[in-house]
Amino acid sequence: MADAPILIDPKLCKGCGKCVKGCGFGALKMVDAPGANKAGKVAEVDASACKACGACVKGCPFKAISEVRQQVYGTADIDSYKDIWVFAEQNHGEIAEVAYELLTKGLELKAQRGAGAKLCAVLLGHGIAKAMEDSLVAAGADVVYKVDDPSLADYEANVYVDAVSQLIAKHRPEVILAGATAVGRAFFARVAVKVRTGLTADCTMLKVEETKNKDTGALQMLLHQTRPAFGGNIMATIMTPNHRPQMATVRPKVFRKGEPDPKRKGTVLLEALKLIAPQTKLVKTVRDAGSVDIAAHDVLVAGGRGLKKEENFKLLFRLAELLGGEVACSRACVDAGWCPVSRQVGQTGKTVAPKLYLCFGISGAIQHLEGIRGADTVVAVNSDPHAPIFGVADLGIVGDLFEILPALIKELEK
């Protein structure tokens, strides 16, 4: 069929049927074609079922099947897009830690990219203090694009989307990164849609590497954006070869924050933009009394399904108090109603990087392990010697947590 991803030449097809047997999607079949060949049959493709995997193209012994190369519609003047940007999220004059983490990673990406690429920070707000600009330069930014406007005093998605989209259209960054925070997740995808490019969410690895464009055959320096897929069972690496900018979000604590250099020099550019009016008005901000930022603590004491009931978390809170830490949990505890979601660690919770992570009764599902891979030291207590948590623990204790936990608390209380 003309609109299919492959083209079958009936003059070359011998009706052997090898392509039909080799197609994993059932997209090929043999149809009658009297006189076309000795078999009197030729292959035919179902365009709606064909996934363009190319297996039949390689498997046809008679070269009767070829791939249809369609014109690629991507970003115009793609080579004019330069530099690596980091969205420096701020709230009430305080820049989010993830922005500094991304600037540290941005320095690596800048070195990999080469060719005079600059590392830039995008800072939105109103009444922006010079100390905020200086902190971004000290963290690695060569340029800080600052938009200081009354409509940016409080976060409003529509205004943020408008501001960042205008900056992208004006300065054409090649890569732009943002933290996968409540703010980053809320507006960054809308920016990608507006500038007509792709976005990879919750990346755990990033690198820039010379890569062959499968559509054009040209070699490009592309951002390899790696993230967990299928519940964390595989890692998918995603690229954006034909559109710019290449956009990705990263969870807090996935990358380490580097040491700032107060002597580093950078340029601050004040951008005067004509922004749309906010469509919503912030009337009042009320902080959730039960919310806690577990990612900010150096010591975490975490519990899992092995604690059996909510009341047993009192032991964890006591241990955390003695160690000067905070209590965290696995998803099973949140699902059971024992803990609020703000304490959840893992792929669907928070990514943490404490100096010490003590976990009791957590088996170590891959989704949970993904959330603690930045921890310096992991100590695990579990009654199952084959629990996956022991595969990442620096110290593993096989035993009954209801014996070990009270004994540990008793010793620390002394």
Side-chain angles (χ1 to χ4, degrees), residues 8 30 40 56 104 144 167 212 218 221 247 250 298 329:
I8 301 172
M30 303 305 298
C56 58
T104 301
V144 176
L167 291 175
K212 185 177 180 179
M221 295 297 288
M247 298 178 64
V250 179
D298 288 334
C329 69

Side-chain angles (χ1 to χ4, degrees), residues 1-7 45-48 50 52 66-70:
M1 295 176 64
D3 57 346
I6 60 170
L7 182 65
V45 60
D46 179 356
S48 62
C50 182
S66 58
E67 185 178 357
V68 176
R69 287 284 182 178
Q70 298 182 355

Side-chain angles (χ1 to χ4, degrees), residues 225-300:
Q225 307 153 66
T226 302
R227 58 151 294 154
F230 292 101
N233 292 305
I234 65 170
M235 300 299 285
T237 298
I238 300 165
M239 287 165 277
T240 312
N242 302 314
H243 296 78
R244 294 293 180 272
Q246 302 164 87
M247 298 178 64
T249 61
V250 179
R251 289 187 179 197
K253 301 297 182 182
V254 168
F255 300 131
R256 294 280 186 180
K257 180 177 74 169
E259 288 295 324
D261 181 3
K263 297 180 180 179
R264 184 180 277 120
K265 300 297 182 182
T267 303
V268 178
L269 298 177
L270 180 60
E271 295 286 337
L273 304 179
K274 187 176 181 180
L275 299 173
I276 63 172
Q279 296 181 10
T280 58
K281 181 181 179 182
L282 181 64
V283 177
K284 186 178 180 181
T285 301
V286 179
R287 183 172 180 83
D288 183 1
S291 178
V292 59
D293 184 11
I294 57 174
H297 291 266
D298 288 334
V299 177
L300 288 177

Side-chain angles (χ1 to χ4, degrees), residues 305 329-339 344 348:
R305 196 193 306 271
C329 69
S330 67
R331 178 173 177 172
C333 300
V334 174
D335 291 343
W338 301 346
C339 289
Q344 182 184 330
T348 54

Side-chain angles (χ1 to χ4, degrees), residues 72-125:
V72 176
Y73 295 94
T75 301
D77 198 15
I78 197 169
D79 292 333
S80 67
Y81 285 74
K82 306 291 182 185
D83 300 337
I84 297 167
W85 285 13
V86 169
F87 171 65
E89 179 185 335
Q90 64 87 18
N91 186 26
H92 299 297
E94 184 176 348
I95 295 176
E97 286 292 298
V98 68
Y100 298 121
E101 295 162 9
L102 291 176
L103 283 170
T104 301
K105 187 62 180 181
L107 289 171
E108 294 180 23
L109 299 177
K110 171 186 166 182
Q112 294 167 359
R113 179 62 181 90
K118 294 178 182 178
L119 178 60
C120 310
V122 176
L123 182 58
L124 309 180

Side-chain angles (χ1 to χ4, degrees), residues 131-146:
M132 297 170 65
E133 306 164 9
D134 294 341
S135 70
L136 294 173
V137 172
D142 300 308
V143 178
V144 176
Y145 293 111
K146 181 177 74 169

Side-chain angles (χ1 to χ4, degrees), residues 157-230:
N158 297 291
V159 185
Y160 267 52
V161 169
D162 187 36
V164 175
S165 299
Q166 286 191 49
L167 291 175
I168 290 173
K170 181 178 180 180
H171 297 289
R172 301 191 174 195
E174 187 172 25
V175 170
I176 179 166
L177 310 174
T181 60
V183 170
R185 285 174 167 157
F187 91 99
F188 214 54
R190 293 175 60 182
V191 173
V193 172
K194 189 162 186 177
V195 301
R196 301 182 68 83
T197 190
L199 169 67
T200 304
D202 292 346
C203 294
T204 56
M205 289 184 284
L206 296 170
K207 69 175 180 179
V208 174
E209 190 171 87
E210 189 173 59
T211 310
K212 185 177 180 179
N213 186 314
K214 293 182 178 180
D215 296 307
T216 65
L219 290 174
Q220 297 174 286
M221 295 297 288
L222 295 179
L223 179 68
H224 291 224
Q225 307 153 66
T226 302
R227 58 151 294 154
F230 292 101

Side-chain angles (χ1 to χ4, degrees), residues 16-24:
C16 66
K18 288 185 178 180
C19 58
V20 176
K21 296 177 182 177
C23 180

